[in-house]
Amino acid sequence: MTAPSTDIATSSAAGARNAPVRGVGLRAAGVRKGFRHAGRRTEVLDAVDLEVEPGATTVVIAEPLAGATTLVRCLGASYRADAGEVLLTSPHGSVDLCRADGRTIAWIRRHVVAIGDGELIAPPRRSARAVLERALRSNAGAPGDRCDDVLDRLGLTPISDEAVGRLGASDRALLATAVALLRSAPVVLLDEPFRAQAPETVRALADLVDDERASGAAVLLVASRPVPDTLTVDGTRSLSQGRITP
């Protein structure tokens, strides 16, 4: 498959075959997003400005119903913003996810941006272990025993051979977060990764997030409550009524 004709995509194509591409950041400016239901339109994001730098973890503490999931999905191009720009930037160039064509978006979602928003996209009969192994295959530098290590650290070993379609919501959300972290993507976007998890699992997740930060990834973590003290945080913002504040 040939990469789309953007500098970031071309660079990422090489990274997919060798080491992961780093030095990629994300910058949102004036991002707006709303939804229409039953003839009424609800504005969710209102002129959001936000920057996530390479090798840094930015945390956004969101009020309930403030638009946290919509923010993550707009920044990761799962949703297309109604207005504004979402720029992926790197030494090789930049691309606006709000205006990129579908082929470019698909390539970026595969090689550049990893999203952990609680939605596990996998065949329901596939085992939890197979889901993680598939994520690890996109990371050429991962050691062979990495899958067992992560399953053990996250407390998923007892259910590792279960079909994901039979897992509870909390385990599926945890597995989705683990997949996003194990892909070794240049940009990692996480929505409520610590919600409803045991303290030891929270600590293990924080360590995995720190690993991605240390490797040069730009990490955005959205949460409704303060994150664990063990997590290395480079900047904290707030999301209230669809707006980002310092």
Side-chain angles (χ1 to χ4, degrees), residues 172-190:
R172 286 177 61 87
L174 178 58
L175 194 58
T177 299
V179 166
L181 290 168
L182 292 183
R183 285 180 51 198
S184 197
V187 177
V188 180
L189 309 174
L190 303 175

Side-chain angles (χ1 to χ4, degrees), residues 78-105:
S78 294
Y79 293 162
R80 193 177 290 268
D82 298 327
E85 61 181 19
V86 177
L87 288 178
L88 283 176
T89 62
S90 84
H92 308 285
S94 65
V95 58
D96 184 357
L97 300 184
C98 296
R99 294 168 178 81
D101 60 55
R103 184 164 172 261
T104 298
I105 292 295

Side-chain angles (χ1 to χ4, degrees), residues 173-243:
L174 178 58
L175 194 58
T177 299
V179 166
L181 290 168
L182 292 183
R183 285 180 51 198
S184 197
V187 177
V188 180
L189 309 174
L190 303 175
D191 180 16
E192 293 281 14
F194 307 120
R195 177 187 287 168
Q197 301 300 338
E200 59 272 20
T201 303
V202 169
R203 288 192 293 271
L205 279 173
D207 288 344
L208 290 173
V209 173
D210 281 348
D211 289 347
E212 288 302 288
R213 173 188 177 275
S215 72
V219 181
L220 174 69
L221 193 155
V222 180
S224 58
R225 61 189 63 187
V227 298
D229 293 338
T230 56
L231 181 71
T232 304
V233 177
D234 299 281
T236 303
R237 309 287 295 277
S238 298
L239 178 65
S240 175
Q241 297 180 337
R243 285 182 171 268

